[in-house]
Amino acid sequence: MDRLSPEDQKELLALAPSSPKGPGEPLIYQGDRERTEVYLLRSVPGQRPTACVKVTAYLESGGAAMLGIRVSGDVVGELATLRRQPRAAMVITCSPVLVHVIRAQVFTDFLDRRPAAWNALARMIADRLDWANRRRTDFAQFSVPVRVANVLVELAGRHGIDQAGGKRDLGVDLTHEEIANLVGARKDAVFKAVRRFKDLGLIDPGHRRKIVIDPIGLADFR
């Protein structure tokens, strides 16, 4: 939404009322052919600054691939709306979030009225493609620890929250398994990488949330 003009933002928010969702609630089911709405995400006043959802594709082999994380101001479900195709992934909330559920035709009519919104949507999709390409490149040339370091630095840069003492909260709760899905690695390999980063003083893993202690050092890790 931050790429839209104030007028476009106002009209977008008026397309559908918002409703609150708690953590762990599904918004989109993979393979769904019936629902074609677009979901606009917003933070809940008084809650953590960044609302977020996780986008995960479940594989026929029984595994899973986390495709990305979406935060306040993002839309999800737009590809199924634009392409009239079944949902390609599962979308589940990972924090309190306000959701505007916008009907497909209402959303595309808005885009047709607001050419700048089409441009903003295209740039958002391009950013997501760029993220996916970087993950593929990382997988082809880097070890698991470097892939984990790269994705944590990028998540902290995109969604992180500054903390006292120069720390940076990752901004999203992730398990070792979810990080493994993001970087295309086994859970035990990610656990070893996180433990190594902790020993080096680069992160404080806490329970579920990852705190980047030294973003520059983590970015330089090889």
Side-chain angles (χ1 to χ4, degrees):
M1 267 182 48
D2 57 355
R3 288 173 170 163
L4 298 178
S5 68
E7 293 78 12
D8 287 351
Q9 290 183 23
K10 183 178 180 180
E11 182 173 347
L12 177 61
L13 291 173
L15 296 180
S18 65
S19 59
K21 301 290 184 181
E25 293 194 43
L27 298 182
I28 294 174
Y29 290 91
Q30 184 173 338
D32 190 347
R33 297 174 178 269
E34 302 298 323
R35 300 185 66 89
T36 59
E37 297 91 345
V38 172
Y39 297 78
L40 171 64
L41 311 176
R42 294 174 58 211
S43 294
V44 178
Q47 296 286 341
R48 58 187 296 175
T50 302
C52 79
V53 301
K54 300 171 185 176
V55 183
T56 305
Y58 293 93
L59 312 177
E60 292 183 0
S61 63
M66 184 178 288
L67 304 182
I69 295 166
R70 309 291 180 249
V71 297
S72 305
D74 281 344
V75 295
V76 293
E78 75 288 343
L79 291 182
T81 295
L82 297 175
R83 300 170 61 219
R84 297 296 194 269
Q85 295 291 319
R87 302 293 191 175
M90 184 89 174
V91 177
I92 299 177
T93 62
C94 50
S95 74
V97 59
L98 290 178
V99 182
H100 296 255
V101 184
I102 306 171
R103 290 187 293 113
Q105 191 62 54
V106 171
F107 184 69
T108 54
D109 287 347
F110 163 74
L111 295 176
D112 288 339
R113 289 194 304 272
R114 301 281 189 171
W118 265 116
N119 179 267
L121 181 66
R123 291 170 63 190
M124 183 193 73
I125 294 172
D127 284 348
R128 293 175 182 177
L129 178 60
D130 185 52
W131 161 278
N133 287 340
R134 286 197 297 278
R135 301 289 76 77
R136 293 189 187 97
T137 302
D138 282 359
F139 184 82
Q141 65 179 334
F142 294 133
S143 65
V144 171
V146 175
R147 300 200 315 256
V148 173
N150 288 347
V151 79
L152 292 180
V153 169
E154 187 160 354
L155 288 173
R158 287 187 172 200
H159 316 308
I161 305 166
D162 289 333
Q163 301 289 303
K167 296 181 180 180
R168 191 164 176 82
D169 188 321
L170 192 64
V172 57
D173 297 343
L174 290 176
T175 64
H176 290 148
E177 183 174 5
E178 288 168 336
I179 296 173
N181 291 340
L182 275 175
V183 303
R186 291 175 48 179
K187 178 181 175 181
D188 59 341
V190 169
F191 177 81
K192 290 178 182 178
V194 170
R195 185 171 59 186
R196 184 176 178 187
F197 297 152
K198 180 180 180 181
D199 291 342
L200 293 172
L202 298 177
I203 69 171
D204 174 8
H207 174 55
R208 286 171 57 89
R209 188 176 290 181
K210 307 297 178 289
I211 307 296
V212 178
I213 296 175
D214 181 2
I216 295 177
L218 197 60
D220 289 340
F221 178 87
R222 290 294 181 269

